[in-house]
Amino acid sequence: MKLGIISGTGKEGKALAIRFGMYGHSIFIGSRSIDKAVIIEKEIKLQLPKIDIKGSDYRNTVLAADIIFIALPYHVVIDELLNLKDVLKNKIIIDTSVPMIYNNGKFNRDSTIKDSISTQIYNSLDSTHVISAFHTISHLDLNNINKELDHDVLYFANDSLAESNFLNLITTIKGLNPVNCGTLDLSFLIESQVPLLLNINKIYKKSTSIKIKGL
Ligand SMILES: NC(=O)c1ccc[n+]([C@@H]2O[C@H](COP(=O)([O-])OP(=O)(O)OC[C@H]3O[C@@H](n4cnc5c(N)ncnc54)[C@H](OP(=O)(O)O)[C@@H]3O)[C@@H](O)[C@H]2O)c1
């Protein structure tokens, strides 16, 4: 599949590019700076010489891709995506954003943000299919190409077209197990679990994620 990543130069975006590129998907790295995107393209090619990858700006990344991962700081997501509203029509977005703050040595969800970021995206764009997922999967796990994944991908969706395309994509990656968590309005629940994991990571000096038992 043709996958865009906005931004593909950050920790999570680059890690998604590596993991999905490893499995033969065509990757488009989007950045505010084309030079920065090309540097990341070259870095990833050194690691994975056979990867099909191209660095570009946000707009051309959306135009080139069918499915676009959003891995941006939460406070810029809506403005950046509103700039791309025209080209995002009929595309599928996978939003990974977490509204998180770090204060006094502790991670917490930003309590000033009421709705989940994915809900805000859904309400801001026309005819764009939105999935909320990957919040609890660290870049440290995704970009370690020697590490086999064994991760639940907790996801939220409002429409079946987005969901079926998402499931087709996820099942191409070994070790990713999708778990349907309901509609997008509920994804604020997972946003609160990320600071929980990061506080645990800090205490134990590990990279943790969430696995659902009993399914
Ligand atoms: N890190 C993880 O393990 C992880 C896991 C799950 C979810 N996430 C989510 O993914 C999102 C990105 O996290 P990250 O850790 O990858 O962050 P990051 O390393 O800081 O990368 C963020 C990227 O966003 C772009 N950007 C656009 N506007 C920006 C601005 N005003 N200030 C700073 N950067 C801006 C930058 O790319 P350009 O300059 O190239 O445009 C930058 O490389 C967050 O919402 C986070 O909650 C992260």
Side-chain angles (χ1 to χ4, degrees):
M1 292 185 198
K2 292 178 182 170
L3 306 178
I5 308 184
I6 291 179
S7 160
T9 68
K11 292 181 284 301
E12 183 73 356
K14 184 181 176 191
L16 287 163
I18 289 170
R19 183 60 61 166
F20 283 84
M22 258 172 79
Y23 285 90
H25 295 288
S26 300
I27 306 293
F28 299 89
I29 296 277
S31 172
R32 291 170 296 175
S33 148
I34 295 182
D35 289 350
K36 199 169 152 189
V38 170
I39 289 171
I40 297 296
E41 172 196 317
K42 288 183 179 155
E43 278 179 21
I44 297 179
K45 267 189 189 151
L46 278 179
Q47 219 178 335
L48 298 169
K50 289 189 184 153
I51 193 172
D52 178 16
I53 189 166
K54 186 162 173 46
S56 186
D57 57 20
Y58 289 168
R59 180 162 285 269
N60 281 306
T61 292
V62 173
L63 285 168
D66 301 317
I67 300 182
I68 301 110
F69 284 96
I70 307 301
L72 287 167
Y74 72 93
H75 56 278
V76 308
V77 170
I78 300 301
D79 283 349
E80 290 292 358
L81 296 191
L82 281 176
N83 286 335
L84 301 167
K85 189 171 179 170
D86 54 332
V87 283
L88 280 168
K89 265 196 177 146
N90 300 322
K91 302 274 182 174
I92 295 166
I93 277 180
I94 302 175
D95 174 49
T96 73
S97 324
V98 181
M100 193 171 59
I101 50 168
Y102 184 70
N103 241 337
N104 291 328
K106 299 169 193 176
F107 294 95
N108 219 324
R109 187 179 184 278
D110 181 345
S111 60
T112 65
I113 308 288
K114 188 175 158 279
D115 291 330
S116 72
I117 303 296
S118 300
T119 300
Q120 292 181 36
I121 295 174
Y122 182 76
N123 291 337
S124 305
L125 302 177
D126 298 325
S127 319
T128 302
H129 305 279
V130 183
I131 293 276
S132 179
F134 279 93
H135 306 80
T136 55
I137 306 187
S138 167
H139 69 282
L140 296 171
D141 294 342
L142 290 169
N143 69 14
N144 182 350
I145 57 174
N146 298 316
K147 178 168 179 168
E148 199 161 289
L149 298 177
D150 176 22
H151 288 62
D152 282 352
V153 184
L154 281 67
Y155 75 91
F156 305 80
N158 281 357
D159 73 276
S160 54
L161 186 138
E163 186 178 11
S164 61
N165 279 279
F166 171 75
L167 293 175
N168 284 342
L169 173 64
I170 294 305
T171 48
T172 62
I173 310 298
K174 199 170 177 203
L176 289 184
N177 173 46
V179 177
N180 184 348
C181 297
T183 47
L184 287 178
D185 54 316
L186 296 172
S187 71
F188 79 94
L189 294 170
I190 202 69
E191 291 176 353
S192 303
Q193 305 314 308
V194 178
L196 173 83
L197 292 175
L198 291 184
N199 289 317
I200 294 171
N201 290 351
K202 195 163 174 268
I203 293 166
Y204 288 91
K205 303 198 184 340
K206 298 277 184 193
S207 169
T208 59
S209 62
I210 292 181
K211 199 130 179 82
I212 306 298
K213 285 199 154 195
L215 285 178

